[in-house]
Amino acid sequence: PWHMASQQEQTRFVEACAIIERELGNEIGHQLEIGCGEGHQTVHLADLADRSTGLDVSETAIERARQRLPEAEFLVGDLLAQPWIGERGRFDLITACEVIYYMSDMPGFLRAMDHLGKSCLVTYFAPAARKVEAHVMAMPEVKTGRYSYGEVEWVAAWWPGAAAR
C-alpha cells in the first residue's frame, strides 16, 4: 500500500543512504534496520554494510524480505524483546526510517537505539515533526537534514550511539 517501487520512495531510500555515507561513513560492518517491512530499503542499506539485519513485527513482511534479499538476516519481533537488547554497541549502524511514529514509547525506543548502535539514524515525514521532534532532538549530539521529492519532505536525524561517545 505504500508504493515502495515508486520514484518517490526510491528517492527516499537513495537520499537516506547518501546521508549515511556522507555523515556516518561508508565502512559499516553490521547494520540493523528497524521496521524493515518487505526489505525494499534494506536492498539499498545492504550496499553500505558488510552485514545487514532487518527487524519487523510482521511475519508476512519478513518472509517477503527474505525472498527479496536472501543474503541478509531478517527477524520477526519487537526491538525491546530481542535477546541482544542489552548489548551496548552491538551494531555499527541502526536505522529506523519512517517508523518512529508507530512507537508507543518514543524516548525508550530512541534510548534502545542509542544503546545498541555506534551510529543511529531515524527519518520521518516532515509534517509529523511536531509529534516526534522533541524526542529526537533530545538525543546527544544529534544532527539533522532534510530531503524531498516534489512536494514531499522528510527529516533525517543522526547521532553517535552511546558506545561511540
Side-chain angles (χ1 to χ4, degrees), residues 81-103:
Q82 298 306 307
W84 35 257
I85 189 65
E87 295 181 32
R88 181 179 169 127
R90 176 183 175 91
F91 299 96
D92 296 303
L93 172 66
I94 298 182
T95 63
C97 299
E98 302 302 304
V99 296
I100 193 167
Y101 336 99
Y102 305 111
M103 302 303 154

Side-chain angles (χ1 to χ4, degrees), residues 37-49:
E38 296 179 358
H40 293 275
Q41 188 163 10
T42 316
V43 171
H44 296 270
L45 292 168
D47 288 339
L48 302 178

Side-chain angles (χ1 to χ4, degrees), residues 71-127:
E71 62 272 19
E73 174 185 33
F74 290 100
L75 306 170
V76 177
D78 180 271
L79 175 66
L80 300 177
Q82 298 306 307
W84 35 257
I85 189 65
E87 295 181 32
R88 181 179 169 127
R90 176 183 175 91
F91 299 96
D92 296 303
L93 172 66
I94 298 182
T95 63
C97 299
E98 302 302 304
V99 296
I100 193 167
Y101 336 99
Y102 305 111
M103 302 303 154
S104 58
D105 176 8
M106 283 186 214
F109 171 73
L110 292 166
R111 281 192 305 272
M113 284 182 66
D114 187 62
H115 180 78
L116 285 167
K118 294 175 186 158
S119 293
C120 303
L121 174 121
V122 296
T123 67
Y124 47 93
F125 187 51

